[in-house]
Amino acid sequence: MANAFVRGANLNTSMMYMGSIMSFLVRGQDTDGRFAMVEYRARPGNEPPPHVHLWEHEMYFVLEGKIEFHCENQVETVDAGETIFLPKGKAHAFYI
């Protein structure tokens, strides 16, 4: 059973990944495997390579700037304040 909690981005919840900072604000184990939420502070050139998630969808909310997302044959530019949904099982990547 999930419990209420408060968590922020700090040294205990964060790690470096490919030159960017990932902060795990909500983990799957906190929500009975229903969802997770990560704050990802990326720099241009440090984006992960194209990849596929077999088990989970992804949703991004862009806080500042803009990001170009590729999902199979679709390309979308997402501006600050906008959200993009990427379905599981489809190859995707993003570029800052």
Side-chain angles (χ1 to χ4, degrees):
M1 174 183 289
N3 294 308
F5 65 90
V6 175
R7 184 175 296 139
N10 58 51
L11 288 176
N12 294 325
T13 61
S14 302
M15 64 177 274
M16 293 296 293
Y17 175 72
M18 296 183 62
S20 298
I21 301 172
M22 293 180 71
S23 300
F24 297 87
L25 304 176
V26 180
R27 301 168 303 194
Q29 63 195 18
D30 299 321
T31 65
D32 297 327
R34 301 284 182 166
F35 75 95
M37 185 168 72
V38 176
E39 179 182 312
Y40 185 69
R41 294 187 174 267
R43 294 185 302 176
N46 289 343
E47 302 91 341
H51 59 282
V52 176
H53 296 281
L54 298 176
W55 306 107
E56 67 274 347
H57 303 297
E58 277 192 313
M59 184 174 71
Y60 290 81
F61 178 76
V62 177
L63 295 172
E64 58 186 46
K66 62 181 165 184
I67 303 176
E68 183 178 278
F69 285 88
H70 296 246
C71 185
E72 294 193 324
N73 295 328
Q74 186 176 355
V75 178
E76 298 287 345
T77 299
V78 183
D79 291 307
E82 294 182 322
T83 299
I84 186 168
F85 172 80
L86 303 172
K88 67 181 177 180
K90 296 193 177 192
H92 62 277
F94 61 87
Y95 304 95
I96 300 170

